[in-house]
Amino acid sequence: MKGGETSSGGGGQDDSSTAVSSRKNKKPKYSRFTQQELPACKPILTPGWVISSFIFVGIVFIPIGLASLFASEHVVEIVERYDKDCIPPDYRNNSLHYIQTSETNKTCTRTFHVPKHMKGPVFIYYELDNFYQNHRRYVKSRSDKQLRSKASEATTGTCKPEAVTSNGQPIVPCGLVAWSLFNDTYSFSIKNEALNVSKKDIAWKSDQEHKFGSDVYPKNFQSGSFIGGGKLNSSIPLSEQVDLIVWMRTAALPNFRKLYGKIERDLEANSTITVIIQNNYNTYGFGGKKKLVLSTTSWIGGKNNFLGKAYLTIGGLCLFLAVCFIFVYVLKPRPLGDPSYLSWNRNPGEHVN
Amino acid sequence: MDSQNPCEGEISLNQWKGGNSVREVRHGSRGGDLEMLGLSQKEIGDDDARLVYLNEPVKSNERYEFSGNSIRTSKYSAFSFLPRNLFRQFHRVAYIYFLIIAVLNQLPQLAVFGRGASIMPLAFVLSVTAVKDAYEDWRRHRSDRVENNRLAWVLVDDQFQQKKWKDIQVGEIIRIQTNETLPCDMVLLSTSEPTGVAYVQTVNLDGESNLKTRYAKQETLPRIPEKEMINGLIKCERPNRNIYGFQANMEIEGKRLSLGPSNILLRGCELKNTAWAIGVAVYCGRETKAMLNSSGASSKRSQLETLMNFETIILSVFLIVLCSIVSICAAVWLRRRRDELDILPFYRRKDFAHGDPKDFNYYGWGLEIFFTFLMSVIVFQIMIPISLYISMELVRVGQAYFMIRDMILYDEDSNSRFQCRSLNINEDLGQIKYVFSDKTGTLTENKMEFQRASIWGVDYSDGRTSSQNDPVQGSKIDGKILQPKMKVKVDPQLLELSRRGKDTKGAKNVHDFFLALAACNTIVPLVVDDRLDSTVKLLDYQGESPDEQALAYAAAAYGFMLTERTSGHIIISIQGERQRFNVLGLHEFDSDRKRMSVILGCPDKTVKVFVKGADTSMFSVIDRSLNTNIIHATEAHLQTYSSMGLRTLVIGIRELNNSEFEQWHLEFEAASTAIIGRAALLRKVASNVENSLTILGASAIEDKLQQGVPEAIESLRTAGIKVWVLTGDKQETAISIGYSSKLLTSKMTSIIINSNSKESSRKSLEDALVASKKLMIVSGTTHNTGPSDEAAVNPVALIIDGTSLVYILDSELEEQLFELASRCSVVLCCRVAPLQKAGIVSLVKNRTRDMTLSIGDGANDVSMIQMADVGVGISGREGQQAVMASDFAMGQFRFLVPLLLVHGHWNYQRMGYMILYNFYRNAVFVLILFWYVLFTSFSLTTAITEWSSMLYSIIYTALPTIVVGILDKDLSRRTLLKYPQLYGAGHRREAYNSKLFWLTMIDTLWQSVAVFFIPLYAYWASTIDGSSIGDLWTLAVVILVNLHLAMDIIRWSWISHAVIWGSIIATFICVIIIDSVPIFAGYWAIFHVAKTELFWLCLLAIVAAALIPRFVVKFLYQYYSPCDIQIAREAEKFGSPRESPNTKIETNPILGSPHG
């Protein structure tokens, strides 16, 4: 009820309403947009389209799958589980004690066989299983600010329960992630000739340059009563602590590998490699497995046939579907857009009210 | 009882002028008003009364209980906006859910997301809505300000001064000039007319455009407030919303006068044809009847949204199931590892920092599980698609934009666009099953046109264009030519006859016939200037009934021009010669007699009774012994006329001799001054004099159908919509309009129910039910179709009148009526009162799940418009009342077809798809999070960053679904209008139903598995870090849901391309930005992972594997079990080579309307 000024007039108001109309014609302006008539493409799933797109997908996917499988098969991978075997028989029933005391000798020598020629660089990984680096408590327990700059040394609020020492000094780097740093070491030799393990470029450059400060030095690290893992040389800035940087890029899945180093040379087939392992890291407490992995690489990454198989499956399925559709289309075609298929034409009278 | 006498005297005066009982003519149901008024003049108790001292606003309002005259339709002020708006918004359960989640997340034990990220969605939703509300309220503020600052002349210090409306107070005396709008409800004191009459137009109040008469009391008439003080006291009832009732009395100079509805002028009315009027304000501001009646339209909820709520509950159950699984697994995990927890490197329960080792962030097994449950609710929160509500709102705004801009819905005549007044029910337009339509003004133009006449047994029907320019006709006033405002087609032969005077017998009858048309009415002629030609004055006939107007204009066209009406006489210019007739008496039209009569003292000293009325009632009072041939001829003509859908009236005449006149006069005087039962007495007097009439002839008026109505009704019917017409008109008219609008066809069997008791109603209903069943069995056997065919082959039309409905509605007979009505393809209700209209709508609405739509144009349609699921107002000539109450308003009835068949269909399809898609989109994301949680020892880590989780439904995937919801069209306008049957998709709920919901959910499950597990196996036991695989999952799911949408888009315009591909690109950009922040754990991850081929191969494999099942099912379904829409779409694209004969429908005239 807004008085008279908004009403568009009734019978007795002709004067005002025509005056209004001459002043302001409310007719909507024509444009293809407002009339919803924008030029548009209206694709329809015709049998031809569907069959040819399936064939296309099949033709694209099967070669990709084959290429992936091929690449994956060409990766030479040596996986050596050593967590059990590296425990001396006396301690087999008390592996926890073995790993926790400093009195025992943790050195363990293993040898393995190179099945095929491994072209350099050969990547050395350690693989942990059943280790939840993605646990909520764990991934949150770090301070990215502290890692980055010296000024934020004291920002350890998110690092509990490994934030400060018992006398209140901030731990650098703080948090469970750093505290549990993996500290097994490996040294390799072939026929008594030591293999040089390069640590160059094993960490992301971006992490080294921007995430881990070059002026941040480890402090009070692993100084508590309860040691979680490796120690750090406090004279080396965090940006150079590549093992820490690799470790702190927490793994997505409970079964993961981390890059330990590279052997910058080829390994001949059938050669035997001796590795001396310092078995320091405690995975016995939670039944985790430790493996040492030597692997070459390919464009597809490591040895993993899954993707190749997946592509072959999808491609094969598409070709199969294409054949099925061709078959069905030949047997039982339907003319597209035939009005006699409309429901009210099929059984007349149903909709005529 | 002394207070009654002046009142009664007044009313009889009104009657003489035919003013007060205006309403009786149009709405038979209000016939009792007058009688009621006389009897219900009970004393108003002091407790219930409002005391108004004339011209003493301060004294009147000494207890400060009356409201001032400023009005406020706005909801907020600048200060109250924030709290009140938030309060209102949180009425939505969804927002409360949001809030609880956000609050939970603030608890340190549960802080899954950072503070900023967790509040963002709620803040986003709230601020979008708040901005929208603020804008709307600002507009209301602006219109309030305009309204409050209008000026009126108010008596201050013995002279009238201009005062703003908002400052007017109860008790003040106000002077209104002609054409001004009344600022408040006021009791009329005096007017410029010596008789104290004031004409007002109430178009803003009740939608009726004709003038109403209001009267000042004789006692207050001579007062001139500037010169002499008026002291008086008005005792009136408390403010109420009854615009047709008012009870008060006024004490003035010791006299006590009774006041009624004819003495009050209401806010919003306009003063017309009265130079000025003076009144005293009695109700101001929000206490005025107009404001009390302007309660906003009740908020409606679309059916789709209601259905959706059920699915939302299912999703909540899913959510609870997911959370429970996580909690139970977490419980088992914690229990099995309970001995290791203290030292577990990735758990480390003990904090050794301060001497004694303490439990860190661990609250015991039970609580941990409980917290896990709550945390999983927080992580999986978008399972309930809150963003859907906001998207739906935006989509509706967009859809409304296009409906408003649609040129086909623009009405040239009234220069009005389509209006969307309610933004909640756009999609309901696609599911309408019942349309309830008013007749007058909705189906018809409410513009009566005199078409034919049968005079003395001769049919004159050769209507040609007007002969108005003939100077002989124009009578002169002040040297200017006087012409009727409306031009009428005339029959030349009849025109010739009418000019011949009354010499011959034939010409005399013609003379009397037109004299009757000119005199036997309650028309008030007004002389107005012609805007085009200054030498011409136009004669504007104001009257309550458009029929009377048409007849008076017709008489004028034939040279019988009614030029003046006062209380005692009328002046008719007969062929240019002014003649004065004394109006000795006038018997109003009433619904029992169905006729009216006037007793005229003619210039030749004879006294004649002219009677006009409905044929049924007239033939009973016509002397059948006289002129038998003429009567038969007239009857035959009437038959022809009504079969053409014309409204007919029969005219009779009788000359009264002296004794008869004297006798009538005595009776009339006695009856009109009677205190009790006056209306009945007057009716009796009328019946006595309306007797032994000589027939003069009959008139036929065309109630012109609006353009395109028959085609529109045809289309609606083909679309499977049942059209019911509810009209206040009489049955014959209703049926004839039914035929002319193709509502009724000759193939239909009509069942007519006219009962006047409950028993007879019951019997008629039972008979009708039996009859309709029988018809259906006949059709069922002959056509070999099931009984579910709903009377398709042999359609039945039900015609029922208001009297029968009185007995049927609100009784146990309702059920039978509904059963009967649902078997009929057409239902026509005549003579129904406004409330009965609403009753019929609710009869259907409460018994089916089908959607109802009411369409009407007048104040009498308001109740049914508000009752129906969707109310449509015609913004036509009957004012704005219906529009104000409606959800949608438009200019013409025929626009209903494009509105429902095109826009309704589109809106429904779009909204249905959008809801399903939003469910899918959020569920697939939640499931991916869920799968990952299973690989994190149930600790609710998310690989996808919290910012991506929050941006997912705001940026990554929001725009495409909104744009598709606004713009996508499954079929073109042309196809939808060509095959109205396609509208059935909405009736069958094809776009959204629980089958589709479950199919979508199964698809969702598969897609989430594909997205999650392909990377999982591809990266199992690799060096992949959480952030990188999280980025892969983020991009995969965004690309997937956008391609899923792309697969279902039907029309690809550049906008669709832009939003789909734009969203994917925007997601890449956002992920890059998030990964460029060094303090986030995922710093630079995307650049590292995107360098590897494996990443891209995973993306490709995910998209292919996830979409293939949907693609296959979609294709098979479309190809081998095509729905109508699919076939029509193919036909649209490929043309139809074998058009079958029964689908050929002429190009719809609705489509062919001017296109600019």
Side-chain angles (χ1 to χ4, degrees), chain B residues 595-637:
Chain B
R595 56 181 180 260
M596 73 167 290
S597 58
V598 62
I599 288 115
L600 284 190
C602 298
D604 56 2
K605 302 294 175 212
T606 53
V607 176
K608 285 175 183 158
V609 194
F610 291 95
V611 190
K612 76 170 198 288
D615 42 7
T616 46
S617 79
M618 286 300 286
F619 282 116
S620 63
V621 293
I622 281 172
D623 188 349
R624 298 194 80 106
S625 57
L626 296 169
N627 310 313
T628 324
N629 291 340
I630 309 285
I631 291 174
H632 285 314
T634 311
E635 275 175 329
H637 291 150

Side-chain angles (χ1 to χ4, degrees), chain A residues 64 150 227 243 265 335 348:
Chain A
I64 294 179
K150 199 175 171 62
I227 312 291
D243 286 318
R265 53 164 277 191

Side-chain angles (χ1 to χ4, degrees), chain A residues 51-328:
Chain A
I51 290 164
S52 42
S53 58
F54 273 125
I55 291 173
F56 176 77
V57 172
I59 286 174
V60 171
F61 270 49
I62 287 174
I64 294 179
L66 288 174
S68 314
L69 271 184
F70 185 74
S72 171
E73 287 299 327
H74 265 249
V75 171
V76 185
E77 192 183 70
I78 303 164
V79 182
E80 187 69 23
R81 181 175 171 188
Y82 64 89
D83 53 309
K84 270 190 186 157
D85 299 338
C86 277
I87 294 181
D90 322 350
Y91 289 97
R92 285 277 154 90
N93 294 326
N94 196 1
S95 53
L96 208 57
H97 176 72
Y98 168 79
I99 203 81
Q100 278 173 341
T101 58
S102 52
E103 294 149 16
T104 48
N105 181 13
K106 307 286 190 335
T107 313
C108 163
T109 309
R110 315 267 308 156
T111 53
F112 43 77
H113 183 75
V114 179
K116 271 187 198 164
H117 177 77
M118 291 175 90
K119 198 176 177 313
V122 177
F123 292 85
I124 305 162
Y125 303 95
Y126 52 91
E127 182 177 331
L128 293 180
D129 196 2
N130 212 9
F131 189 102
Y132 287 87
Q133 246 203 337
N134 57 14
H135 195 282
R136 165 168 291 277
R137 283 171 76 100
Y138 186 81
V139 290
K140 296 269 169 190
S141 184
R142 61 190 283 163
S143 168
D144 286 296
K145 278 188 186 144
Q146 189 204 44
L147 297 174
R148 200 162 172 249
S149 77
K150 199 175 171 62
S152 314
E153 201 177 79
T155 42
T156 58
T158 53
C159 288
K160 282 178 187 171
E162 202 55 38
V164 288
T165 59
S166 49
N167 52 9
Q169 290 294 307
I171 298 170
V172 183
C174 70
L176 281 183
V177 185
W179 171 78
S180 60
L181 175 65
F182 186 78
N183 59 350
D184 285 4
T185 57
Y186 315 107
S187 51
F188 301 88
S189 56
I190 294 181
K191 299 172 190 156
N192 297 329
E193 179 201 347
L195 284 174
N196 188 27
V197 176
S198 157
K199 295 269 183 184
K200 193 166 169 281
D201 290 340
I202 63 166
W204 290 3
K205 226 191 189 75
S206 57
D207 280 352
Q208 280 187 287
E209 284 169 2
H210 300 288
K211 213 165 159 55
F212 291 80
S214 56
D215 58 345
V216 186
Y217 293 88
K219 234 190 214 175
N220 307 318
F221 189 66
Q222 303 287 25
S223 63
S225 54
F226 191 49
I227 312 291
K231 302 198 172 170
L232 294 173
N233 182 343
S234 57
S235 61
I236 301 175
L238 291 189
S239 59
E240 301 301 322
Q241 307 267 13
V242 283
D243 286 318
L244 177 76
I245 295 174
V246 169
W247 180 253
M248 288 199 72
R249 197 144 272 287
T250 51
L253 301 166
N255 184 6
F256 61 91
R257 288 175 187 180
K258 292 215 171 275
L259 193 54
Y260 178 81
K262 287 184 261 183
I263 299 171
E264 304 272 6
R265 53 164 277 191
D266 295 1
L267 297 179
E268 300 303 326
N270 298 322
S271 56
T272 305
I273 298 178
T274 311
V275 56
I276 300 163
I277 300 167
Q278 287 299 321
N279 184 15
N280 300 322
Y281 199 70
N282 178 9
T283 54
Y284 306 98
F286 54 92
K289 294 173 200 158
K290 286 197 282 190
K291 290 174 193 165
L292 172 65
V293 180
L294 287 161
S295 170
T296 58
T297 187
S298 72
W299 62 269
I300 193 82
K303 192 175 186 70
N304 188 337
N305 291 340
F306 171 76
L307 207 64
K309 286 177 187 161
Y311 267 84
L312 286 181
T313 315
I314 296 169
L317 184 71
C318 285
L319 288 183
F320 172 73
L321 283 170
V323 173
C324 286
F325 284 156
I326 291 171
F327 212 61
V328 171

